[in-house]
């Protein structure tokens, strides 16, 4: 089974092929690019002060914080698509488990350098306006998220 736990309907954990169609035409996609929380492979600069397991737990906490902050800031915007793009398949069992909230959908980033992976995810998101974030932005101010959204869809 997958270590990614959806707290919303099961249709949120969709395959890339099934995800592509409903995303077409979405006014705005908010994408969080993230790695699986594999101990020793995430937050490696913290290792030494923290164990690899603890560093992976920090990664999960930051990821879940980003989900919450973004969803809360844009909760009243029904046409916004929320996507987490993982460095592995969504159904992979590697790494620590984390929760993908109800409105978020999971896709694989694909292969290649960061630009290629972002382009792949952007295509899956319909090719329209998109706001890309990383796990390292858990304290991004809500007003900044709202103003970025306004700027992209107006």
């Amino acid at each position: 089974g997958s270590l990614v736990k959806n707290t919303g309907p099961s249709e949120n954990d969709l395959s890339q092929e099934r995800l592509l169609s409903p995303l077409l035409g979405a006014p705005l996609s908010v994408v969080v690019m993230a790695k699986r929380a594999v101990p020793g492979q995430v937050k490696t600069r913290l290792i030494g002060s923290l164990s690899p397991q603890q560093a992976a737990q920090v990664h999960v906490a930051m990821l879940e914080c980003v989900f919450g902050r973004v969803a809360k800031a844009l909760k009243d915007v029904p046409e916004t698509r929320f996507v987490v793009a993982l460095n592995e398949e969504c159904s992979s069992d590697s790494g620590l488990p984390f929760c993908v909230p109800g409105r978020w959908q999971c896709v694989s980033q694909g292969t290649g350098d960061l630009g290629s992976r972002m382009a792949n995810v952007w295509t899956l998101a319909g090719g329209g306006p998109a706001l890309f974030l990383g796990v390292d932005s858990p304290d991004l101010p809500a007003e900044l998220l709202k103003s970025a959204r306004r700027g992209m869809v107006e």
Side-chain angles (χ1 to χ4, degrees):
S2 173
L3 293 178
V4 178
K5 298 182 294 184
N6 283 318
T7 57
S10 62
E11 67 266 18
N12 282 357
D13 188 20
L14 301 172
S15 69
Q16 289 182 179
E17 295 78 24
R18 289 186 49 213
L19 183 61
L20 180 60
S21 176
L23 286 179
L24 293 174
L28 175 66
S29 295
V30 179
V31 179
V32 175
M33 301 288 285
K35 292 181 181 178
R36 288 248 176 223
V38 177
Q41 295 181 17
V42 293
K43 303 295 173 228
T44 55
R45 292 182 190 152
L46 298 177
I47 297 172
S49 298
L50 299 177
S51 71
Q53 181 77 14
Q54 290 170 323
Q57 289 170 334
V58 167
H59 179 80
V60 168
M62 291 175 72
L63 179 59
E64 291 178 348
C65 184
V66 170
F67 288 153
R69 181 171 291 272
V70 169
K72 183 177 179 183
L74 301 175
K75 72 180 183 296
D76 297 325
V77 187
E79 68 274 13
T80 300
R81 179 73 60 176
F82 298 96
V83 178
V84 58
L86 295 176
N87 65 325
E88 295 183 11
E89 294 299 320
C90 296
S91 60
S92 172
D93 286 341
S94 68
L96 302 180
F98 59 90
C99 292
V100 177
R103 283 186 67 191
W104 290 82
Q105 294 158 334
C106 183
V107 298
S108 172
Q109 295 176 11
T111 59
D113 62 20
L114 179 59
S116 297
R117 290 179 285 134
M118 289 175 73
N120 181 56
V121 173
W122 181 76
T123 299
L124 291 171
L131 176 62
F132 280 80
L133 302 169
V135 175
D136 292 331
S137 55
D139 59 348
L140 194 63
E143 189 49 47
L144 186 60
L145 290 167
K146 291 176 187 176
S147 68
R149 185 220 172 264
R150 284 190 301 269
M152 283 191 229
V153 298
E154 291 177 352

